Amino acid sequence: MMQKVLYIPFLLLLSLGLHAQQSNIFPQPAQFTYTRSLPFQITAATTIGGNNKEAQKIAQTLSNELSRPTGYTFKIGEKGTIQLNLNKTPNAELGDEGYTLRVTNTAITIDANKPAGLFYGVQSLVQMLPPAVESKTKVQAKWSVAACQITDYPRFGWRGLMLDVSRHFFSKEDVMRYIDRMAKYKYNVLHWHLTDDNGWRIEIKSLPKLTQVGACRVPRYGKFGDHEAPKDGELATDCGFYTQEDIKAIVAYAAERNVQILPEIDVPGHSAAAVAAYPELCCTDDNTMKVNPGSNFAEWYGNGQFKMLIDNTLDPSDPKVYEFLDKVFTEVAALFPFPYIHAGGDECYHGYWEKDANCQALMKKEGLKTTHELQSYFTKKTEKIIQSKGKKLMGWDEILEGGLAPEAAVMSWRGLEGGIEAAKQGHYVVMTPNDFVYIDLLQGDPLVEPDQTAYKQVRLKQCFDFEPVPEDMDAKYVLGGQACLWTEKILSIRQAEYMTYPRALATADMFWSPKSTKNWDSFTQRMEMQMERLDMAEINYARSCFDPVITATQKEDGKLYANVTTEVNNLDVYYTLDESMPDRFSPKYTGPVFVPEGNSVTFKAVTYRNGKPIGKTIAVPRAVLLERKK
Ligand code: ACM
């Protein structure tokens, strides 16, 4: 399909005229138009120019992308047949990250105000070449780029992905691989969840036990959450952390790709790994605390109510805690150029504070009526520490409870409400509502997804349907949005990619492209072309959006019916109730299917397109249909 678009015959191009069109580029450019010229040919004679040193640096990036698959060595200088220019007079329409890209048969020109814009122009150009441009090895390249004109700039300045490296540790190389791919889709923030109950992953030189103790847990296999607690005397051999040299290398690697890193130190809750290293930091001074290997240590009551069975919470009444935080944030601030530091604040259990005499005395002294106000007291002090290092505090939306710290920005994860409320109070927000953009959640049927126990689904279409700026909200406070990958159940970078793509293609469009360009069918067509490129690049992704979506209804007379829909449109669904595997010779689904009674009755369905299977076969036992009934 990609080929068809790339090699559009000249006459067809002429007939396309000059009106705005859809490109195959991810994210969708603000304005894209095919123009009346023959295509530009990439050959061994192609040269790449940059009108100053910074532009030539990006020219080198382009050269690297094209040399690998073509085997050509591109001459880089001030002038080239592909020309990258940094504007001497800024073009206000483009801002810091926008660019214009013009392709004729004789030249490709990318203009931008800043190197970031040139970098993004290069990403768009590479995406206009065939999927083989992603090949790891040399291919027969006879490539042309259709003549076109692009003017492009982002809708939001914050286009994030979050990677949790506490629950599962990802190597420096894995993190770089993740950054490399996100940058191609014009994401510009990696929110790096560096600390949690299950591992402290960042070297803090003044607090060596954080990694000597906090980065190691006893090894466990199988289902995270059900793991056996550490046994007496058992060695904690499952270790992983980033040295400060690793972090500098990752920050520099990201910066070359216009990705900034938001470090998260999750306090005062989620701190078992810190407490295992320094037990004096929690109210109970629990010196039996171990880094949690994935055991269940909380009771969840629904509606956000829970009880922590271990004291994984820093003591807000203890001056030692603020000395600790001062040391941590001094080193974190020195390592990360990004203006924000994320200080967590989520799911902090207050039960140990309620029982602690020092916390109670502090509340009395400070006139704090609730433990939410006590957490707010903690966050305000943390904000002062972070500000003293020249940075700004961001926190999960729980930091609203008990009163926001004066300058804090809010990451709204329990819905959009936290973001709306923070904006009302004049605070900046990043929208990450779990119902739409928590990409650790299931993207398909639990019966066929790798993790069958996730607590809910966020299908591709839900990601696509998300709108980060609710109607009644002042858009100026919305910095942007972010998809979050928690990694309790994600043990490898391949699995991280499977969970990230294609959902992060939907969010890439949402965070970058004008709202007016949003269209599900054209998104899914572009996505399929992108999948070919991901295959070439050996990046994993899920095809769950092609699977049948099976639900059930039970009529008043007790009769049970199976219903099938599809996320991607125009697929055919075939089903069976007779124990056989469905194929295109089985009954075609046209509406609810009566499912007769019987212990072993199973409804099976599969999707086809153009006579070929495209999704997985999903077999839902009658008993499971009954659980799914509306
Ligand atoms: C969160 O998901 N606990 C921020």
Side-chain angles (χ1 to χ4, degrees), residues 4-76:
K4 269 188 226 145
V5 176
L6 281 167
Y7 300 112
I8 291 173
F10 181 52
L11 283 176
L12 174 60
L13 272 179
L14 286 182
S15 73
L16 286 170
L18 286 168
H19 53 275
Q21 288 139 3
Q22 183 191 293
S23 78
N24 302 323
I25 298 165
F26 263 104
Q28 179 77 260
Q31 294 163 35
F32 179 97
T33 320
Y34 286 113
T35 51
R36 294 168 191 232
S37 161
L38 287 167
F40 180 92
Q41 312 287 340
I42 303 237
T43 69
T46 301
T47 54
I48 310 178
N51 71 339
N52 65 21
K53 283 266 162 322
E54 280 178 297
Q56 282 167 25
K57 218 171 139 200
I58 311 289
Q60 187 60 55
T61 307
L62 175 61
S63 169
N64 296 344
E65 291 285 343
L66 299 183
S67 296
R68 186 191 63 249
T70 59
Y72 303 151
T73 311
F74 298 97
K75 193 167 144 274
I76 296 176

Side-chain angles (χ1 to χ4, degrees), residues 209-236:
K209 285 204 283 185
L210 279 176
T211 42
Q212 286 163 5
V213 176
C216 294
R217 63 193 193 212
V218 297
R220 291 288 182 271
Y221 305 93
K223 192 173 150 231
F224 194 100
D226 283 352
H227 291 163
E228 195 183 351
K231 295 189 267 250
D232 280 347
E234 190 180 1
L235 290 181

Side-chain angles (χ1 to χ4, degrees), residues 2 34 142 162 249 260 339 446 629:
M2 188 63 170
Y34 286 113
K142 274 193 113 185
M162 191 210 78
Q260 302 222 55
K629 72 177 191 272

Side-chain angles (χ1 to χ4, degrees), residues 95-159:
D96 287 351
E97 296 183 298
Y99 64 93
T100 57
L101 194 162
R102 185 173 167 71
V103 180
T104 67
N105 59 334
T106 53
I108 295 180
T109 314
I110 306 177
D111 293 326
N113 297 331
K114 296 272 171 70
L118 288 184
F119 178 80
Y120 288 145
V122 162
Q123 300 317 310
S124 295
L125 173 59
V126 170
Q127 288 196 40
M128 286 194 283
L129 292 165
V133 72
E134 296 268 12
S135 171
K136 303 271 183 215
T137 53
K138 191 164 165 262
V139 292
Q140 271 296 332
K142 274 193 113 185
W143 292 342
S144 55
V145 188
C148 65
Q149 167 85 49
I150 301 177
T151 301
D152 197 16
Y153 42 82
R155 182 174 171 206
F156 295 108
W158 184 302
R159 304 179 301 278

Side-chain angles (χ1 to χ4, degrees), residues 167 264 266 270 346-347 396 398 413 434 438 455 486:
R167 275 50 176 274
E264 180 180 354
D266 197 352
H270 284 271
D346 58 321
E347 296 172 325
W396 297 109
E398 283 92 334
W413 75 277
N434 67 93
Y438 263 30
Y455 55 98
W486 302 100

